[in-house]
Amino acid sequence: MSRIASVLIPMPLPEAFDYAEPEGMGLEAGDQVAVPLGPRLIRGVVTGLRDATGGNRPLKPVAERLDDPRLPPGTVEFVQWAARYAVDAPGQPLAIALRGARAPKPRPTRVVRATGVQPARPTPARAKVLAAATRAMAPAELARAAGVGAGVVKGLIDEGVLALDHVTPDARFDVPDLTRRGPDLSASQAAAAEAMTAGLGGFGVTLLDGVTGSGKTEVYLEAAAAALAADPDAQVLILLPEIALTQAVIARVTARFGAQPGEWHSDVAPPMRRKVWEGVAAGTCRIVVGARSALFLPFRRLKLIVVDEEHDGSFKQEDGFIYHARDLAVVRGRIEDAAVVLASATPSLESLRNAETGRYRWLKLAARHGTARLPDIELVDLRETPPEAGRWLSPPLVAAMGETWARGEQTLLFLNRRGYAPLVLCKACGERMTAPDTDSWLVEHRYTGRLVCHLTGFSMPKPAACPHCGAKDSLVSIGPGVERVEEEARALFPDARIAVFSSDTVFDAREARRLVETMAAGDIDILVATQAAAKGHNFPKLTLVGVVDADLGLRGGDLRAAERTYQLLAQATGRAGRADRAGRALLQTYAPEHAVMQALKAQDRDAFVAAEMAERELAGLPPFGRLAAVIASGPDAAQLDAFVREMAEVAPNTPGVEVYGPADAPLGLVRGRRRKRFLVRCDRGVDLSAYMAAWRARVKVRGQLRVAIDIDPYSFL
Ligand code: ADP
């Protein structure tokens, strides 16, 4: 009987489409196929096959089964689960999963290898070929090695004595050397590694909760070694929030296993992406270190997923397909029956709650490795000891920098703000420079001499006159970014070696690695950095961290403002004083009495978490309740208004679910589109995705209007 194939296409279409399977094609679920869509042939993935039972409408046939790896069932299931969770088209996560499959291939070459079949007609020339065929090699190379003509090799291929294969030249991955050992673990590290290893072999989530420098990486690499050793096909995935951090962990994995892991992030060149994708699908790439989208790779036998710095907001993908890689890592682990390890010195409240209630195994590392101590943290009250006018570094911080430099040690100045100044205004008319058709200030960048919108990417040269009132030389730069702090540090310490680390100054993975290595080698005295450098790295001679604006993250105050500020500053200050050198951190603040500052100073995470949890519980906010956001947008304000009113009217009435809005989004205008938001809150037991899908189904999105749904939102702009 003929069969019908459901084919999912990596585009934002609502569902899989049915095609007829041509006689004898022998499709299986997960196969990549070419199917007609409109006038074109397009790549898709078979998600299911069923018998065609009489009288159906005629279906277009599948055009071709592509000669590309089949997606394993776990990957297909994960893609479908993710789409349902995010209330989005399944083609969206599928497009992420196929990103490597569609990248251009390194060109394949032909190789032959002996099959073990004996030639029907043995000759001396044939015997020479068989003696030379000790490994797979190109037919011409084999003929040369055996000292025979190409015809002899071809004859043996035709007879089945040699098998002909097509291989990609560099399709191989280093095999991890599991005889290598890591460092001797301390008693508490060894206990954590043992508990983690005991949890391998099936699904389960572990929260590895250890202060900065306690050896979390060493511990999870030990668990990775155990997972790889237990099963010759096992694969391990290590997820990190930043490209700079992937570089550091790749170096450590390479040193630990004598093998380069597969690398996966936006900066990996397409042929390499293809290689990793295919190596993961074939099972030859056994360790992957990557950014969030590595979670969608077609693993054959995934046994361990590590999410390092699990609290980090960068795991949330905010545009296109909206998802949180930490949350989805747990789902992927369940689907693949793999162990999941979430590691952090400042775990998210979500993960802490799961650990407290026993859903996650909770492993703690309370102290830094060896004799290294946590830094002393001091608050600098900017009301009492302000910087000079037009400067940003206060006298106590400048004095500490001087002492640090005199001792030949390093300073990290942390400011989570790119560019030179976050705002440019006209002192004649008061006009603030904003991006065209967007509610966002233009940030001044002195290196490039441009004003840049960090939201839309728009940029323009800094004008000589105010575009609003025409006054000349009236534009002034307000507030500091890293470039401005660097300028000030250079003026204060003209002989010091100073560098800036932000996503504007460090463009790619190689540059990030170079800068991290230079800093680690002690060849930079003062590093001015955004969060790109403030996480996870070990800089042995770094003994002073100065936080230029500790209050920055508290402004604007969304749900996680305090939590995020605490995490970021604990991470940044945690860079100080590793490797046996005492460290110091100075936090410049106008609000030293704020709970976050007090908790940082006392290094009392538990008290901070307890207070924050109590507030969230009272309000029914995450992790005690759940949220979803709806962002509706469109170019026409009146049409958008009418639309969101209509949306509000059709919101389903469900016990335990509250809908707030519509309200103007704080970013009310982006690229000429007006934006409105709803916020939905529900109790933990509610199937929020199902609720949102039901609401969405009642709404007809017309013309240029757009509706984006964000489950478990992290941004409220
Ligand atoms: P974390 O991931 O918790 O920040 P790391 O694993 O990076 O901690 O460890 C911090 C530093 O201490 C690293 O340089 C690491 O190599 C070193 N270290 C940790 N544990 C050990 C150990 N048992 N033996 C030797 N060095 C260790």
Side-chain angles (χ1 to χ4, degrees):
M1 185 186 288
S2 59
R3 295 192 302 172
I4 295 173
S6 297
V7 177
L8 196 58
I9 290 165
M11 291 183 3
L13 302 165
E15 57 193 1
F17 292 157
D18 284 348
Y19 291 89
E21 177 187 24
E23 207 60 47
M25 193 175 262
L27 289 174
E28 290 191 29
D31 275 339
Q32 297 194 50
V33 291
V35 290
L37 186 72
R40 292 187 300 150
L41 278 185
I42 194 155
R43 181 189 294 259
V45 171
V46 177
T47 55
L49 289 148
R50 60 183 195 278
D51 289 335
T53 43
N56 284 340
R57 66 206 148 93
L59 294 171
K60 289 188 182 168
V62 172
E64 184 191 353
R65 178 165 69 192
L66 298 174
D67 187 20
D68 285 325
R70 181 176 290 154
L71 261 66
T75 307
V76 176
E77 186 182 342
F78 176 62
V79 158
Q80 289 172 321
W81 199 100
R84 187 193 170 278
Y85 159 83
V87 198
D88 204 338
Q92 299 271 56
L94 182 67
I96 303 176
L98 290 182
R99 220 175 258 164
R102 294 190 286 179
K105 236 184 182 149
R107 293 221 343 247
T109 56
R110 301 187 327 147
V111 296
V112 286
R113 61 170 65 87
T115 58
V117 173
Q118 290 305 311
R121 199 169 42 77
T123 65
R126 292 185 151 198
K128 279 193 216 161
V129 170
L130 286 182
T134 50
R135 59 181 172 84
M137 57 182 109
E141 188 190 352
L142 179 56
R144 221 174 311 122
V148 303
V152 182
V153 172
K154 182 168 182 311
L156 290 171
I157 296 171
D158 292 345
E159 239 178 67
V161 177
L162 295 174
L164 182 64
D165 252 342
H166 294 264
V167 297
T168 315
D170 60 347
R172 281 176 298 263
F173 281 86
D174 300 342
V175 178
D177 177 357
L178 300 173
T179 61
R180 290 194 185 207
R181 297 191 35 190
D184 289 332
L185 298 183
S186 69
S188 59
Q189 289 174 342
E194 218 162 277
M196 210 179 276
T197 302
L200 292 169
F203 172 64
V205 187
T206 301
L207 176 61
L208 179 58
D209 175 1
V211 296
T212 48
S214 56
K216 295 184 292 298
T217 311
E218 301 294 350
V219 169
Y220 72 64
L221 288 181
E222 209 50 44
L228 294 171
D231 174 347
D233 295 322
Q235 293 173 302
V236 171
L237 168 64
I238 301 173
L239 290 179
L240 292 137
E242 302 263 349
I243 293 181
L245 276 182
T246 61
Q247 298 306 296
V249 171
I250 283 168
R252 287 177 75 170
V253 167
T254 307
R256 176 70 176 75
F257 297 109
Q260 185 96 12
E263 179 173 353
W264 188 268
H265 49 72
S266 58
D267 202 32
V268 173
M272 180 51 99
R273 224 179 258 192
R274 176 85 176 226
K275 172 182 164 175
V276 173
W277 197 89
E278 296 197 340
V280 167
T284 53
C285 179
R286 298 189 60 202
I287 313 176
V288 175
V289 177
R292 59 195 176 208
S293 62
L295 196 54
F296 290 86
L297 283 167
F299 289 98
R300 269 168 77 105
R301 209 165 161 74
L302 186 57
K303 286 300 179 191
L304 173 66
I305 307 175
V306 177
V307 184
D308 200 353
E309 310 291 349
E310 69 87 32
H311 62 277
D312 198 298
S314 306
F315 282 120
K316 182 78 197 264
Q317 162 82 36
E318 299 279 6
D319 43 41
F321 182 66
I322 301 177
Y323 68 95
H324 198 303
R326 178 197 60 227
D327 297 346
L328 287 191
V330 173
V331 173
R332 181 109 207 219
R334 184 166 45 71
I335 290 173
E336 306 284 351
D337 205 23
V340 180
V341 171
L342 310 178
S344 176
T346 50
S348 60
L349 264 59
E350 281 78 1
S351 296
L352 283 171
R353 180 71 189 147
N354 282 325
E356 277 170 10
T357 53
R359 267 193 293 267
Y360 293 174
R361 184 188 299 115
W362 196 354
L363 301 176
K364 298 183 198 178
L365 296 174
R368 282 196 163 176
H369 176 68
T371 50
R373 284 191 302 121
L374 283 168
D376 292 324
I377 296 184
E378 300 152 50
L379 302 178
V380 176
D381 188 338
L382 291 176
R383 295 167 304 194
E384 285 175 10
T385 51
E388 290 170 30
R391 302 251 165 166
W392 314 100
L393 304 176
S394 64
L397 180 52
V398 173
M401 288 170 70
E403 289 158 21
T404 305
W405 192 43
R407 281 197 307 272
E409 295 171 355
Q410 296 171 304
T411 295
L412 171 73
L413 291 178
F414 174 68
L415 177 62
N416 209 15
R417 226 188 224 153
R418 294 154 51 195
Y420 184 82
L423 169 64
V424 175
L425 64 72
C426 171
K427 63 183 180 212
C429 72
E431 171 79 359
R432 293 167 178 209
M433 299 287 293
T434 56
D437 301 326
T438 300
D439 274 353
S440 159
W441 293 345
L442 288 175
V443 176
E444 181 177 359
H445 286 245
R446 284 256 165 117
Y447 285 156
T448 55
R450 298 182 79 83
L451 304 182
V452 181
C453 173
H454 287 177
L455 193 72
T456 61
F458 167 86
S459 81
M460 61 187 270
K462 187 177 177 186
C466 172
H468 192 64
C469 71
K472 283 231 154 53
D473 296 325
S474 66
L475 295 178
V476 289
S477 314
I478 307 292
V482 277
E483 291 177 14
R484 198 169 204 176
V485 171
E486 182 208 14
E487 182 181 87
E488 184 173 342
R490 279 193 198 285
L492 289 164
F493 302 98
D495 298 329
R497 295 162 298 175
I498 300 178
V500 173
F501 195 142
S502 81
S503 55
D504 302 299
T505 56
V506 177
F507 306 104
D508 58 22
R510 198 181 320 142
E511 183 61 17
R513 183 181 287 195
R514 198 191 58 75
L515 196 56
V516 167
E517 281 169 3
T518 311
M519 182 71 183
D523 294 335
I524 293 170
D525 299 311
I526 301 172
L527 183 65
V528 186
T530 61
Q531 59 173 338
K535 307 168 182 174
H537 298 294
N538 289 303
F539 300 129
K541 286 173 77 181
L542 174 61
T543 55
L544 175 66
V545 171
V547 176
V548 178
D549 184 353
D551 311 328
L552 184 59
L554 293 171
R555 291 177 207 132
D558 69 50
L559 159 71
R560 294 187 180 81
E563 181 188 356
R564 218 169 20 226
T565 300
Y566 182 86
Q567 287 162 342
L568 196 54
L569 297 187
Q571 291 287 340
T573 55
R575 298 307 112 215
R578 294 199 160 194
D580 306 348
R581 283 172 198 254
R584 224 181 137 191
L586 266 58
L587 272 55
Q588 299 194 137
T589 172
Y590 284 101
E593 64 290 338
H594 194 288
V596 171
M597 300 306 147
Q598 288 299 320
L600 283 164
K601 179 175 156 61
Q603 308 205 17
D604 192 349
R605 187 190 88 190
D606 294 350
F608 171 74
V609 167
E612 189 69 16
M613 286 272 197
E615 270 185 39
R616 302 261 188 104
E617 184 164 23
L618 211 59
L621 290 172
F624 299 91
R626 295 188 58 201
L627 297 177
V630 178
I631 302 109
S633 66
D636 183 78
Q639 190 194 27
L640 180 63
D641 274 347
F643 175 70
V644 290
R645 268 200 309 276
E646 215 177 288
M647 255 195 102
E649 271 162 30
V650 299
N653 245 324
T654 302
V657 179
E658 298 134 34
V659 177
Y660 302 96
D664 288 333
L667 274 174
L669 181 67
V670 175
R671 293 192 184 96
R673 297 177 71 83
R674 311 257 156 209
R675 301 170 80 247
K676 296 263 184 186
R677 296 182 67 106
F678 290 91
L679 189 66
V680 180
R681 195 211 72 84
C682 70
D683 300 335
R684 275 200 67 98
V686 175
D687 183 343
L688 186 54
S689 296
Y691 176 88
M692 298 305 290
W695 187 6
R696 171 83 212 242
R698 295 180 180 188
V699 181
K700 200 158 167 45
V701 185
R702 294 171 302 260
Q704 301 209 59
L705 294 167
R706 296 275 173 281
V707 172
I709 293 174
D710 184 355
I711 301 284
D712 301 325
Y714 277 64
S715 164
F716 298 85
L717 294 177

